Amino acid sequence: GAELVAFTTQAGVWEKMVFDFVGQLDANATYVRANLFFNFMEPGPGETYYWDELMVEAVAPPTLNQIDLPVTFEDPTVDYRLAPFEGAISVPDTASGDPVVDPLNAANNVAMFTKPVDAQLWAGVTVGYADPGSSSAGFATPIPFTDTATRMSVWVLSPAAGVPVLLKVENADASVFAELEVLTQEAGVWEKMVFDFAGQLDANATYVRANLFFNFMQPGTGETYYWDDLGMEP
C-alpha cells in the first residue's frame, strides 16, 4: 500500500485535494482499492465531511528548455532529445531526452551513438532538434561563430583509434552548411576532438544546428561511441 496526508485549506466550500504518490508506488503492484481518512489520527467530535469525484489526476509534463550550446547532458531542465538518421541509433533520441551514464564515470551523463551493420555509410545524429515534428528546429541560440571564433569541440569515447568523425553545422533549412572530419587518436578513453571551421563559414549565414557522424562513410559493425560537451572551443 501507499498513503499520503494532505490538509484542507478552506472551510465550508468545496476544494480539490491532490495526492501525488510519485516515489511511493511499487511498479510491480496492482492497486485496486482506495481508503479515505478524514481528520486522520485526531479525535472525532462528530463533524461531517462531504467528498466527491475521486479520480486519477493527470499531471502535465514539465516544460523543458530548448537545447543549446554547450551540450552537456547534465541539466534536467533541458530537452536533450536528439535525432538519429539513416539507420543510426542514438540515446537520447527523438522519443526521450534521457542520456546514458558515462561508462568510465558514473557521475557523468553522456550521449551514446551506435552504427548498426545495416546503417547507411553517412548515418548520423542531429543535435539541436528540439521538436521531432519540425526539421527546422535548432539550438535555442545560434552557434556563436565570428571571424575569430571558428572552432568547436566535442569529447568522444571511441572503441578504436583512426575512426573518422564528421561535425556538420547548418542553418535552419540546411541550405547552408560547413563540415569537417577529424580522426580519433585513442581507443577506450575520452579525448577532445577539435573542429576548426576557419575559411568554411558563410559570414551571412546563421548556423543553428549540428550533426555528428561517427565512422563516417565507413560500414557500421554495430560499434558504439559515446560523446559529451559539444560546444565552442577557445
Side-chain angles (χ1 to χ4, degrees), residues 13-222:
V13 298
W14 285 99
E15 67 173 308
K16 178 190 284 187
M17 304 189 70
V18 178
F19 302 81
D20 189 348
F21 289 95
V22 64
Q24 295 201 37
L25 299 175
D26 184 340
N28 298 314
T30 300
Y31 297 89
V32 298
R33 187 168 50 245
N35 302 276
L36 284 168
F37 303 80
F38 295 90
N39 205 14
F40 182 60
M41 297 302 292
E42 299 294 334
E47 75 275 29
T48 297
Y49 304 87
Y50 299 90
W51 64 274
D52 195 8
E53 298 184 20
L54 176 66
M55 66 181 69
V56 175
E57 180 80 2
V59 178
T63 300
L64 298 177
N65 297 319
Q66 189 169 342
I67 193 170
D68 207 359
L69 296 176
V71 180
T72 65
F73 302 106
E74 298 298 334
D75 188 344
T77 68
V78 172
D79 182 354
Y80 284 120
R81 287 178 295 169
L82 309 174
F85 54 85
E86 300 295 358
I89 298 171
S90 171
V91 181
D93 59 15
T94 54
S96 171
D98 295 333
V100 299
V101 175
D102 181 344
L104 301 184
N105 179 5
N108 188 41
N109 292 325
V110 300
M112 183 176 71
F113 179 98
T114 301
K115 191 170 187 179
V117 294
D118 58 351
Q120 296 291 346
L121 301 181
W122 53 90
V125 62
T126 300
V127 188
Y129 194 86
D131 179 4
S134 171
S135 61
S136 63
F139 295 119
T141 57
I143 301 174
F145 288 131
T146 67
D147 290 342
T148 56
T150 59
R151 304 202 312 161
M152 294 184 70
S153 64
V154 62
W155 283 86
V156 173
L157 176 59
S158 171
V163 174
V165 178
L166 183 85
L167 175 61
K168 178 181 180 181
V169 294
E170 57 193 17
N171 67 347
D173 63 6
S175 61
V176 180
F177 63 89
E179 58 186 27
L180 283 173
E181 181 182 295
V182 177
L183 299 180
T184 60
Q185 300 298 310
E186 302 182 77
V189 297
W190 285 100
E191 66 174 305
K192 180 189 282 188
M193 306 190 71
V194 178
F195 302 80
D196 190 348
F197 291 97
Q200 295 202 39
L201 300 171
D202 184 337
N204 298 313
T206 300
Y207 298 90
V208 299
R209 188 169 50 242
N211 302 275
L212 281 166
F213 304 78
F214 294 91
N215 206 15
F216 183 61
M217 295 306 293
Q218 301 298 319
T221 63

